[in-house]
Amino acid sequence: MAEVLVYVDHVDGAVRKPTLELLTLARRIGEPVAVALGAGAADTAATLAEHGAAKVLTHDAPEYADYLVVPKVDALQAAVEAVSPAAVLVPSSAEGKEIAARLALRIGSGIITDAVDLEAGDEGPVATQSVFAASYSTKSRVSKGTPVITVKPNSAAVEAAPAAGAVEALNVSFSAQATGTKVTGRTPRESTGRPELTEAAIVVSGGRGVNGAENFAVIEALADSLGAAVGASRAAVDAGWYPHTSQVGQTGKSVSPQLYIANGISGAIQHRAGMQTSKTIVAVNKDSEAPIFDLVDYGVVGDLFAVVPQLTEEIKARKG
Amino acid sequence: MSLRIVVTVKYVPDATGDRHFADDLTVDRDDVDGLLSELDEYAVEQALQIAENADEAEVTVLTVGPEDAKDALRKALSMGADKAIHVEDDDLHGTDAIGTSLVLAKAIEKAGYDLVISGMASTDGSMGVVPALLAERLGVPQVTLLAEVSVEDGTVKGRRDGDAASEQLEASLPAVVSVTDQSGEARYPSFKGIMAAKKKPVQSWDLSDLDIDEDEVGLENAWTAVDSATERPARTAGTIVKDEGEGGKQLAEFLASQKFI
Ligand SMILES: Cc1cc2nc3c(=O)[nH]c(=O)nc-3n(C[C@H](O)[C@H](O)[C@H](O)COP(=O)(O)OP(=O)(O)OC[C@H]3O[C@@H](n4cnc5c(N)ncnc54)[C@H](O)[C@@H]3O)c2cc1C
Ligand SMILES: Cc1cc2nc3c(=O)[nH]c(=O)nc-3n(C[C@H](O)[C@H](O)[C@H](O)COP(=O)(O)OP(=O)(O)OC[C@H]3O[C@@H](n4cnc5c(N)ncnc54)[C@H](O)[C@@H]3O)c2cc1C
């Protein structure tokens, strides 16, 4: 069976959920071979094997942490040369897309970004993309070279599928470009203890209507009652009420949870671009004309400071 | 020595308009107004600031696009860029990201550059890959997705806010930079700027000026193919209630009925 390379997104050996989703999708088009780079790469093997990786190619070197993007491109190119895969799948993070693009160019292939689904086709893998702020769904293919496809989080349900997961050392020689962009400092993001925004099953977001950093406690309390991640509109982020890493939308994160609850958010096209593919959408807004209500499965026209705390209490009561 | 900055700017259909696909599954440009991709305004802004802080600098804005794409160039010129290059050729219709990066890279090389500045992503294709592709093609460092950028003594420095960490980056020029919408508000063109823009030079190049073969670009020769585009059915109208004291409870009832609680 044809092999499919899956680029592993991990933090010190802890594999992030989007990679496990990629392994599920990869099995539809061939046999997954995972590529894990950097510190803790070998520690990923057990998890990857459990989710279907026949092989895990690993390599660690200081270059992955000390320089931007290119060392990882060099490694992935080495993996492509070693395996001759039928396709290369990469998680659709900002970095993932850059790695995938440079790899595609080097190996003479086309690239598709932000696929939300993937299936086998007569002429290679067919990707579904959700475009123009999710108002269109397209099906596309890479027509030249080895398909390089980046896939958004929450595009498939993670399935366990035990496989060999044989660890093999990948041989990598870094290119002249590899050390071009130095990482001279790094401030790790503090964990909030809440689920990762792009991976969460439920996202609770606040917008300008939240009206102040301290008021985000209301949004956080609702999120915690549901075990949800917290998101924010750009208006709330620009006002300094919540960190940019929580921004949902065109220039923030794009999320696709089972449930999205928008509080005090009008629903501008750029916000919708990042949440419109959510399965169920709920909004609380005091303006009955707010465009967000065009999207909702359930909407409450009202003051969020009355509705949200009541909702939180009710959820807590029901959960006991 | 003058610092030569090339800013790549894309002409895109207005995201607040009704965007559609044409019969050949490329973007229908007749249906909706075009404009300078808003995220490229941030690139123009940072280019102007870097130029203002340099001893001597020249900012050239570059677009690859149809006739109307001149509007995007005019906007950038009215913000304060010095000159513009428009790559226009009928054979470019339907070019994908790999092809677009080829055309941009050739034009950047022909123009001459020390620094290329791009937006973080276009507002139509929004792939966020062209800056990385340009760095790969030009063989220079990529210093991309910067929320903060500065150039001094032939070195570009910046801050990139990633998922796991915020990183400080550094590279020697020449380099390709892309900036996010966190990099600082873009200025509005002044009346004087708009008047001055009318007199600024706009150069037009076609594929032969860039030594690009017509079979390296365009829809037929793209590295990717779109097989179908389906408009997403409008969401069926949901239930909307007015809060009269029980709104939170009603919402909880809905969430319970959907098994979220
Ligand atoms: C290039 C570009 C990229 C962008 N990217 C993004 C992006 O990634 N994400 C994003 O979100 N935006 C983005 N924007 C900004 C976007 O256009 C909107 O400005 C933004 O989404 C508005 O945020 P908001 O809905 O919170 O604020 P507003 O539009 O001001 O809406 C606030 C809402 O809160 C309601 N409200 C006020 N008080 C209360 C209350 N007490 N109770 C209940 N409701 C209340 C109001 O009725 C109103 O509907 C981008 C814009 C551009 C140009
Ligand atoms: C909905 C949609 C989906 C698409 N999906 C794919 C796909 O999966 N694969 C693929 O190969 N192509 C795809 N394309 C085509 C692709 O968008 C174009 O070829 C495009 O010019 C390059 O990608 P981008 O617009 O996404 O740019 P991005 O990579 O998002 O743009 C980043 C920056 O590059 C610069 N830039 C980009 N294009 C130009 C230009 N023409 N002139 C000047 N500067 C520019 C700008 O500074 C911009 O801010 C898609 C197009 C659309 C409309």
Side-chain angles (χ1 to χ4, degrees):
Chain A
M1 195 165 38
E3 293 176 305
V4 176
L5 278 190
V6 171
Y7 178 82
V8 177
D9 185 9
H10 71 98
V11 181
D12 295 330
V15 181
R16 297 180 63 181
K17 186 164 151 257
T19 300
L20 304 180
E21 296 167 9
L22 287 197
L23 290 170
T24 300
L25 292 172
R27 290 205 307 280
R28 296 186 191 163
I29 50 181
E31 185 176 65
V33 173
V35 182
L37 306 173
D43 301 339
T44 60
T47 310
L48 297 170
E50 212 176 294
H51 293 88
K55 268 192 271 182
V56 182
L57 309 179
T58 63
H59 187 247
D60 187 17
E63 278 82 354
Y64 296 120
D66 295 348
Y67 300 94
L68 193 73
V69 174
V70 187
K72 294 169 181 165
V73 182
D74 289 342
L76 209 47
Q77 185 180 12
V80 168
E81 280 158 11
V83 169
S84 303
V88 181
L89 306 184
V90 181
S92 257
S93 61
E95 185 187 48
K97 292 203 276 188
E98 293 187 330
I99 294 171
R102 296 186 72 140
L103 174 76
L105 188 56
R106 283 192 191 178
I107 64 175
S109 298
I111 174 169
I112 288 172
T113 55
D114 295 324
V116 295
D117 199 6
L118 202 60
E119 63 209 344
D122 297 340
E123 296 161 274
V126 176
T128 305
Q129 285 168 296
S130 179
V131 305
F132 291 161
S135 61
Y136 270 90
S137 180
T138 60
K139 291 211 187 280
S140 29
R141 285 174 293 118
V142 167
S143 45
K144 288 187 195 171
T146 307
V148 178
I149 300 171
T150 78
V151 182
K152 280 199 187 188
N154 282 330
S155 294
V158 173
E159 289 165 12
V167 178
E168 282 178 28
L170 182 66
N171 245 323
V172 182
S173 48
F174 292 118
S175 63
Q177 315 302 331
T179 53
T181 310
K182 240 183 281 173
V183 179
T184 55
R186 179 176 283 122
T187 318
R189 186 145 71 89
E190 270 175 56
S191 166
T192 59
R194 296 194 177 87
E196 197 59 47
L197 186 55
T198 52
E199 301 172 12
I202 303 180
V203 174
V204 176
S205 286
R208 202 195 306 270
V210 174
N211 197 24
E214 62 291 352
N215 297 341
F216 257 84
V218 173
I219 304 299
E220 289 177 332
L222 173 58
D224 292 343
S225 74
L226 289 163
V230 177
S233 73
R234 178 163 150 190
V237 166
D238 283 354
W241 303 338
Y242 225 66
H244 174 61
T245 44
S246 303
Q247 183 175 314
V248 171
Q250 187 187 16
T251 55
K253 300 276 158 55
S254 91
V255 301
S256 197
Q258 296 298 317
L259 172 64
Y260 187 84
I261 308 181
N263 302 287
I265 293 177
S266 60
I269 183 83
Q270 296 89 353
H271 188 79
R272 277 161 33 199
M275 48 66 73
Q276 197 148 322
T277 53
S278 305
K279 308 293 174 297
T280 299
I281 298 174
V282 167
V284 179
N285 194 304
K286 67 181 182 189
D287 174 10
S288 65
E289 304 285 311
I292 191 82
F293 285 127
D294 297 343
L295 301 181
V296 299
D297 297 286
Y298 198 93
V300 180
V301 178
D303 188 333
L304 74 90
F305 294 107
V307 177
V308 173
Q310 188 181 61
L311 171 62
T312 308
E313 283 316 308
E314 189 67 20
I315 292 167
K316 283 194 199 151
R318 283 176 188 246
K319 285 193 166 173
Chain B
M1 213 179 49
S2 171
L3 181 70
R4 296 164 302 168
I5 307 175
V6 178
V7 188
T8 58
V9 297
K10 191 178 184 189
Y11 178 73
V12 298
D14 186 348
T16 60
D18 215 2
R19 292 177 293 181
H20 291 287
F21 284 91
D23 292 340
D24 66 355
L25 300 180
T26 62
V27 178
D28 186 342
R29 292 178 179 269
D30 299 330
D31 240 27
V32 52
D33 289 340
L35 43 71
L36 166 62
S37 176
E38 282 156 308
L39 293 170
D40 290 340
E41 292 182 16
Y42 295 88
V44 175
E45 176 62 38
Q46 290 308 314
L48 295 173
Q49 288 190 22
I50 289 167
E52 284 157 11
N53 289 327
D55 289 340
E56 204 190 319
E58 184 178 56
V59 177
T60 304
V61 289
L62 163 67
T63 196
V64 174
E67 165 83 44
D68 296 346
K70 283 199 176 59
D71 292 352
L73 295 174
R74 284 284 168 222
K75 171 87 189 264
L77 289 172
S78 64
M79 286 173 72
D82 300 300
K83 59 190 180 81
I85 298 169
H86 184 189
V87 183
E88 186 190 2
D89 198 306
D90 289 344
D91 288 324
L92 283 168
H93 176 77
T95 305
D96 65 0
I98 298 282
T100 300
S101 69
L102 170 72
V103 181
L104 284 170
K106 291 265 191 176
I108 289 164
E109 276 171 336
K110 186 175 162 89
Y113 72 101
D114 301 298
L115 182 62
V116 177
I117 306 187
S118 301
M120 63 185 285
S122 71
T123 58
D124 60 344
S126 62
M127 295 176 72
V129 299
V130 167
L133 289 170
L134 289 178
E136 179 73 33
R137 287 199 185 271
L138 297 168
V140 303
Q142 74 167 76
V143 199
T144 46
L145 297 171
L146 301 183
E148 215 172 71
V149 59
S150 65
V151 172
E152 221 172 311
D153 301 330
T155 302
V156 48
K157 293 185 185 175
R159 191 186 87 234
R160 171 169 164 130
D161 294 329
D163 277 346
S166 174
E167 294 167 329
Q168 298 291 335
L169 304 178
E170 194 177 307
S172 308
L173 299 185
V176 175
V177 159
S178 77
V179 297
T180 73
D181 58 337
Q182 300 288 303
S183 59
E185 268 316 298
R187 69 194 65 186
Y188 286 105
S190 63
F191 179 70
K192 215 174 110 202
I194 294 168
M195 296 316 286
K198 296 193 168 141
K199 298 197 198 84
K200 290 178 179 172
V202 178
Q203 220 163 8
S204 274
W205 290 342
D206 63 12
L207 288 175
S208 66
D209 291 315
L210 299 176
D211 288 325
I212 296 172
D213 243 30
E214 61 184 39
D215 62 11
E216 293 178 87
V217 294
L219 193 56
E220 296 298 306
N221 307 302
W223 281 257
T224 50
V226 182
D227 291 334
S228 71
T230 328
E231 198 158 5
R232 211 179 142 93
R235 289 183 86 102
T236 42
T239 309
I240 295 182
V241 300
K242 195 168 176 334
D243 177 39
E244 273 155 357
E246 298 286 296
K249 288 188 182 152
Q250 286 167 289
L251 186 43
E253 190 56 43
F254 170 77
L255 295 180
S257 75
Q258 302 294 307
K259 310 241 173 338
F260 289 114
I261 320 177

